[in-house]
């Protein structure tokens, strides 16, 4: 079969924070993708605001570098797909792997293979892609290169890799310094026999197969991602498998339902570094973008009008977590941060989206580019059940919508169960925990409460212990905050979906009840002083509250209705302690993720562009009391 030797397609996969995006940055710089005078940011591929804030890759992105071989041969285009490390964004990983011919598996020289490493490697091996192992961060003082390589070999064997897949080349790198070598350096040092990524580039050219194609085959191009442009409208990213794609060409668009219609390619774009540039033609193996097809979806095929042949649809893993997302139904809907004064005036400038139609349209738009998400109708016309891979993926969606001006009511995350032989099965996770030895007992106790069973434990002799647990997914909802508290902020925990097991029974993960406001008003310092010995408060003085809003965590197991708006009575009599200054303990501010963890079944979260509030589903105190008494009688 003919081969295109002027192009290579490769994906970089790894566990979160092992250095994928930093390595891509170094490749772009050393391949001459930027002018000498250009001001460059760190992690250039993380272009999304949320990605920069959280320090993780959320969306799979592609870039291309022109590599000039040192022997003076013709330049070779290397298309690089930077994939997320979180399993929550697994749909992005699967799409990225469908575009490439090989993967670079990046592993931290100290941490070694972790749950997400297992996840992305399993996907690559299933797709029968060759693997290049890159041991990154060799300069870490606690690096243990030999052990990490042995652990990686064990992981390959554990995933049933065949002989060809296990015979992989190994590159040692310090991506931050832009240095790679084929010779193993000493632990804790940067490779000394190289000053650039040249050994890494040469390994890519040698071990990444060049795209092959059939000489006279009809056009076949697979849509793997979608983007939008203010001038061009919807843009489809695709890989050309066979034939050629030209600007202005009429092609057959094979939809997901099997129907076929003819469309015209109004614009053809090819990626160079971080920009897309107009092109006239894209051949087999090229990764390009086309405009002109307004309703195209991920997984569909562009083919020859005379001989349309569809490519297989992209399949993703089943969702494991669901939550209800609906319109904001609180008394403060549309009123901004505090609903008062200057805040309300400033908030009035925000383009607020509070209707059911706007929320539903936005969720439908998300489905276009996110293949791992599902939106189901509920009994209420203004609320929908959104299912995804994990808590983080759904929290990112809510945070994105909130920044776009949406006001939402979000329910507590739930697990998506399924019936197997008439019995209920729930999703389970494989949790890997790295903690100092002195916190081992606290973590074991924490996992015992959450029905986790220990599968493996190893001690590297460095004072740290690695433990692996299999735990139900719902046991990990609200786990991270408690875990970090119990390990004094030193513990590292990562989990990966492991499958489904029979229902584990009831889980009690939050022992404390809530402090619930019993009336509307404004929080006073006087009321806070009297209430802070009852538990931990979440509000500042001056914050507007309403009946049913949760203002703190009770120190006891049951909920308590409190008056947090109580004012000090003024009289004409001066008491002996009138001038005693009262000290207020600073309130605990909960982020969106922490609020989702804190939530109980009868509670939900009000999300607005300015604030995140936790509230009871039923706001009226008397109605909640009646519901509770009926539940006790039942």
């Amino acid at each position: 079969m003919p081969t295109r030797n002027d192009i290579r397609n490769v994906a970089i996969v790894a566990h979160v924070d092992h250095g994928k995006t930093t390595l891509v940055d170094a490749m772009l710089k050393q391949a001459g993708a930027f002018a000498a005078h250009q001001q460059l940011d760190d992690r250039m591929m993380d272009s999304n605001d949320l990605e920069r804030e959280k320090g993780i890759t959320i969306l799979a992105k592609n870039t291309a570098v022109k590599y000039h071989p040192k022997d003076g041969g013709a330049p070779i285009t290397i298309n690089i797909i930077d994939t997320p490390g979180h399993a929550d964004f697994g749909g992005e990983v699967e799409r990225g792997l469908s575009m490439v011919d090989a993967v670079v598996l990046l592993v931290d020289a100290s941490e070694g293979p972790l749950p997400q490493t297992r996840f992305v490697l399993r996907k690559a091996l299933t797709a029968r892609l060759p693997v290049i192992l890159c041991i990154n961060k060799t300069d870490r003082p606690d690096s243990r290169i030999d052990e990490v390589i042995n652990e990686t070999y064990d992981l390959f064997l554990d995933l049933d890799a065949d002989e060809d897949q296990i015979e992989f080349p190994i590159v040692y790198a310090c991506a931050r310094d832009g240095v790679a070598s084929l010779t193993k350096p000493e632990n804790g040092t940067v490779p000394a026999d190289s000053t650039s990524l040249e050994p890494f580039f040469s390994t890519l050219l040698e071990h990444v197969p060049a795209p092959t194609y059939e000489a006279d085959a009809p056009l076949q191009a697979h849509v793997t991602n979608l983007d939008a442009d203010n001038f061009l409208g919807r843009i489809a990213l695709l890989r050309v498998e066979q034939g050629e794609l030209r600007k202005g060409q009429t092609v057959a668009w094979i939809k997901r339902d099997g129907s076929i219609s003819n469309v015209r390619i109004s614009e053809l774009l090819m990626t160079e570094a971080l920009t897309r540039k107009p092109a006239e033609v894209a051949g087999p193996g090229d990764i390009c973008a086309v405009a002109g097809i307004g309703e195209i979806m991920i997984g569909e095929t562009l083919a020859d009008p005379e001989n349309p042949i569809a490519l297989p649809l992209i399949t993703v893993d089943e969702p494991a977590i669901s939550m209800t997302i609906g319109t904001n139904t609180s008394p403060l809907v549309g009123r901004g941060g505090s609903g008062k004064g200057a805040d309300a005036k400033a908030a009035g400038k925000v383009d607020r989206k509070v209707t059911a139609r706007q929320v539903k349209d936005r969720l439908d738009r998300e489905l276009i580019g996110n293949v791992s998400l599902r939106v189901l109708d509920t009994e209420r016309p203004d609320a929908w059940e959104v299912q995804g891979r994990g808590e983080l993926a759904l929290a990112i969606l809510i945070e994105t919508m909130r920044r776009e001006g949406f006001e939402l009511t979000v329910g507590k995350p739930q697990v998506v169960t399924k019936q197997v032989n008439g019995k209920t099965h729930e999703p389970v996770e494989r949790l890997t925990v790295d903690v100092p030895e002195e916190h081992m007992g606290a973590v074991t106790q924490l996992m015992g409460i959450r029905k986790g069973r220990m599968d493996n434990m190893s001690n590297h002799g460095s004072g740290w212990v690695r433990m692996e647990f299999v735990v139900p997914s719902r046991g990990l909802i609200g786990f991270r905050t408690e875990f970090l508290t119990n390990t004094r902020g030193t513990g590292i925990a990562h989990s990966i979906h492991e499958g489904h097991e029979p229902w584990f029974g009831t889980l009690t993960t939050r022992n404390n009840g809530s402090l619930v406001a019993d009336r509307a008003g404004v929080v006073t310092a006087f009321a806070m002083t009297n209430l802070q010995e009852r538990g931990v408060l979440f509000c500042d003085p001056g914050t507007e509250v309403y009946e049913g809003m949760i203002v703190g965590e009770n120190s006891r197991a049951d909920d308590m209705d409190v008056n947090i708006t109580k004012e000090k009575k003024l009289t004409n009599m001066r008491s002996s302690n009138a001038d005693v200054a009262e000290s207020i303990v600073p309130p605990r501010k909960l982020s969106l993720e922490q609020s989702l963890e804190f939530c109980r079944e009868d509670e939900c979260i009000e999300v607005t562009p300015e604030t995140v509030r936790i509230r009871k589903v039923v706001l009226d105190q008397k109605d909640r009391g009646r519901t509770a008494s009926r539940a006790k009688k039942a």
Side-chain angles (χ1 to χ4, degrees), residues 106-286:
L106 207 67
V107 179
D108 189 297
S110 168
E111 294 181 4
L114 284 167
Q116 265 84 8
T117 315
R118 169 184 289 269
F119 168 75
V120 291
L121 180 59
R122 183 192 292 142
K123 296 292 179 193
L125 295 177
T126 304
R128 309 294 304 160
L129 295 173
V131 178
I132 298 168
L133 176 63
C134 180
I135 304 294
N136 191 28
K137 303 187 184 182
T138 59
D139 59 324
R140 282 187 60 161
D142 56 348
S143 64
R144 44 187 193 90
I145 298 171
D146 287 332
E147 292 95 321
V148 166
I149 291 173
N150 288 334
E151 288 172 13
T152 308
Y153 274 117
D154 291 342
L155 179 58
F156 270 78
L157 293 170
D158 199 23
L159 294 175
D160 297 326
D162 58 33
E163 290 184 16
D164 293 340
Q165 291 171 320
I166 290 180
E167 294 298 320
F168 49 78
I170 303 175
V171 182
Y172 307 91
C174 176
R176 187 195 60 202
D177 295 351
V179 176
S181 171
L182 300 178
T183 309
K184 182 170 74 72
E186 293 293 321
N187 287 334
T189 64
V190 178
D193 61 340
S194 174
T195 56
S196 68
L197 291 176
E198 181 61 34
F200 181 63
F201 279 119
S202 59
T203 305
L204 287 183
L205 298 189
E206 185 180 346
H207 293 278
V208 177
T212 58
Y213 60 98
E214 295 175 23
D216 300 318
L219 169 67
Q220 279 184 305
H222 210 185
V223 180
T224 56
N225 210 343
L226 296 175
D227 205 348
D229 185 274
N230 292 334
F231 300 102
L232 299 174
R234 185 178 296 185
I235 293 175
L237 272 73
L238 42 84
R239 170 171 169 157
V240 181
E241 300 289 347
Q242 304 286 350
E244 287 188 341
L245 197 59
R246 294 181 179 275
K247 181 180 177 180
Q249 178 182 0
T250 298
V251 298
W253 166 28
I254 306 175
K255 302 175 187 175
R256 296 183 79 90
D257 60 5
S259 61
I260 300 174
S261 56
N262 287 352
V263 291
R264 183 176 173 275
I265 305 298
S266 63
E267 194 68 58
L268 178 65
L269 306 166
M270 300 281 278
T271 303
E272 285 186 25
L274 300 179
T275 58
R276 293 196 189 109
K277 297 187 177 178
E280 292 299 320
V281 61
D286 276 329

Side-chain angles (χ1 to χ4, degrees), residues 313-329:
L313 292 172
I314 297 172
T315 58
V316 296
D317 291 343
E318 294 291 309
I321 298 288
S322 76
M323 60 175 70
T324 304
I325 297 179
T327 54
N328 187 3
T329 55

Side-chain angles (χ1 to χ4, degrees), residues 318-324 385-391 394 411-418 424-429 471-477 497 499-505 507 601:
E318 294 291 309
I321 298 288
S322 76
M323 60 175 70
T324 304
E385 183 185 347
V386 181
Q387 297 181 347
R389 282 288 183 81
E391 206 176 339
L394 296 176
K412 176 182 170 61
Q414 308 283 348
V415 294
V416 179
T417 59
K418 65 179 186 180
T424 302
H425 281 56
E426 63 175 315
V428 295
E429 309 262 331
V471 59
S473 296
R474 61 195 166 103
L476 294 183
I477 297 172
H497 182 63
H500 287 74
E501 290 190 15
W503 187 260
F504 280 73
L507 284 178
E601 278 74 11

Side-chain angles (χ1 to χ4, degrees), residues 355-374:
T355 66
R357 178 185 58 80
Q358 288 171 317
V359 174
K360 182 68 167 73
D361 288 349
R362 178 63 181 82
L363 291 174
D364 288 341
R365 270 205 322 276
E366 186 69 23
L367 288 175
I368 293 170
N370 192 339
V371 292
S372 58
L373 210 67
R374 290 182 187 169

Side-chain angles (χ1 to χ4, degrees), residues 91-120:
E92 299 287 328
V93 176
E94 283 149 356
R95 289 195 319 221
L97 295 182
S98 69
M99 303 166 73
V100 299
D101 303 304
V103 297
V104 174
L105 178 67
L106 207 67
V107 179
D108 189 297
S110 168
E111 294 181 4
L114 284 167
Q116 265 84 8
T117 315
R118 169 184 289 269
F119 168 75
V120 291

